[in-house]
Amino acid sequence: MTVIDFTAFIGRLATASGETILPFFRTSLGVDNKGAHDFDPVTEADRAAEAVMRRLIQANFPQHGIVGEEFGNEREDAEYVWVLDPIDGTKSFISGFPTWGTLIALMHEKMPVFGMMHQPYVGERFSGDNGSANYSGSAGQRRLAVRRCASLSDATLFTTSPLLMNEADRATFGRIAETTRLTRYGGDCYSYCMLAAGHLDLVIETELKPYDIAALIPIITGAGGIVTTWEGKPAQNGGRIIAAGDPRIHEAALKLLNG
């Protein structure tokens, strides 16, 4: 089967998860903390959305593997593996802000070949297959393309929060932030989608899990951007991540990150 064969099914996953999540949004839902030291919230919406996606995958593709944030891994060495983050940006979700989304990635032989970010509250979907990327939402449908940016001094940089970084990484991030035209915080998965859409130039983060980034790689790559670790290696396993719309600022940022 090709990735094209999975496109409609990924749409079904997004629709089902969105219908599961929306009744919980901006309600007084309970919040559990799964973090040992820091606040790492999880809600019934997270669990219910991942559960409904898992049931659909298991019913339609029982031979496929699943890697999910809430319910762990199944057959993660299978040829095809689904990587699921039911609500990326749970802190925004529980605060009532719509800067969260459901991340759905399809891996083939451990490489992300299709990704989607679905935001059901505002009705937006960003998708990509490494060769192209697309937007669908209230503004209609269109191809996504990163913007050119030759210099860090002209760049807009995003990170969810430097407080999520350890002290050394925060200092390194600060060196890059000092060189950019604009640095903003927040966004979670939306920052990467806005990079793919050509509205910002650079996203730098640390401590990401595979389900935080796998779906976003085919979107950014399909829009003409680049995603790697801080060491310039493939990013699908998470860790310290840098995404850029222009290879020139990716190279310049890497030099500062490893200087």
Side-chain angles (χ1 to χ4, degrees):
M1 298 184 74
T2 67
V3 174
I4 297 298
D5 298 318
F6 292 115
T7 303
F9 179 71
I10 291 170
R12 286 179 59 198
L13 292 179
T15 298
S17 62
E19 290 174 347
T20 303
I21 292 168
L22 282 183
F24 293 96
F25 186 49
R26 293 182 176 171
T27 66
S28 55
L29 78 168
V31 178
D32 296 326
N33 181 19
K34 59 183 179 180
H37 304 289
D38 299 321
F39 181 52
D40 186 9
V42 62
T43 71
E44 187 58 35
D46 296 83
R47 299 187 184 102
E50 184 171 320
V52 74
M53 289 191 287
R54 280 177 176 267
R55 286 195 295 269
L56 281 169
I57 294 167
Q58 290 161 349
N60 288 274
F61 302 105
Q63 73 278 22
H64 287 192
I66 303 174
V67 173
E69 179 174 13
E70 307 306 335
F71 297 111
N73 303 344
E74 305 174 30
R75 295 179 296 281
E76 56 189 300
D77 292 327
E79 179 183 4
Y80 286 99
V81 177
W82 298 88
V83 183
L84 309 173
D85 190 345
I87 301 178
D88 183 82
T90 301
K91 292 175 183 176
S92 292
F93 181 87
I94 65 175
S95 303
F97 283 81
T99 49
W100 52 271
T102 298
L103 296 178
I104 304 168
L106 178 62
M107 310 284 286
H108 181 245
E109 302 289 2
K110 302 188 183 301
M111 297 297 294
V113 294
F114 193 95
M116 176 177 286
M117 191 283 266
H118 179 217
Q119 214 303 336
Y121 185 73
V122 297
E124 292 189 322
R125 294 184 181 186
F126 300 81
S127 61
D129 63 2
N130 293 312
S132 65
N134 297 279
Y135 167 87
S136 175
S138 58
Q141 299 185 6
R142 62 184 174 88
R143 292 284 291 268
L144 295 173
V146 297
R147 68 184 180 191
R148 299 297 97 191
C149 182
S151 170
L152 286 173
S153 61
D154 295 322
T156 295
L157 164 67
F158 263 70
T159 193
T160 298
S161 172
L163 296 178
L164 298 173
M165 302 175 182
N166 63 42
E167 187 174 348
D169 288 346
R170 192 181 309 135
T172 301
F173 172 83
R175 291 201 300 269
I176 296 181
E178 289 174 356
T179 70
T180 60
R181 181 177 65 178
L182 175 65
T183 299
R184 299 288 292 169
Y185 303 148
D188 294 286
C189 57
Y190 248 104
S191 298
Y192 296 89
C193 292
M194 292 301 98
L195 186 147
H199 300 301
L200 58 98
D201 307 293
L202 200 58
V203 183
I204 297 176
E205 305 207 271
T206 64
E207 312 300 334
L208 296 192
K209 304 298 184 183
Y211 46 73
D212 294 318
I213 192 64
L216 298 165
I217 294 171
I219 301 172
I220 293 172
T221 304
I226 182 170
V227 189
T228 70
T229 66
W230 286 19
E231 295 75 32
K233 304 296 184 181
Q236 63 265 22
N237 293 323
R240 301 188 300 175
I241 302 299
I242 174 172
D246 191 305
R248 292 171 292 184
I249 61 167
H250 179 264
E251 181 180 3
L254 280 185
K255 288 179 179 178
L256 288 175
L257 290 173
N258 294 286

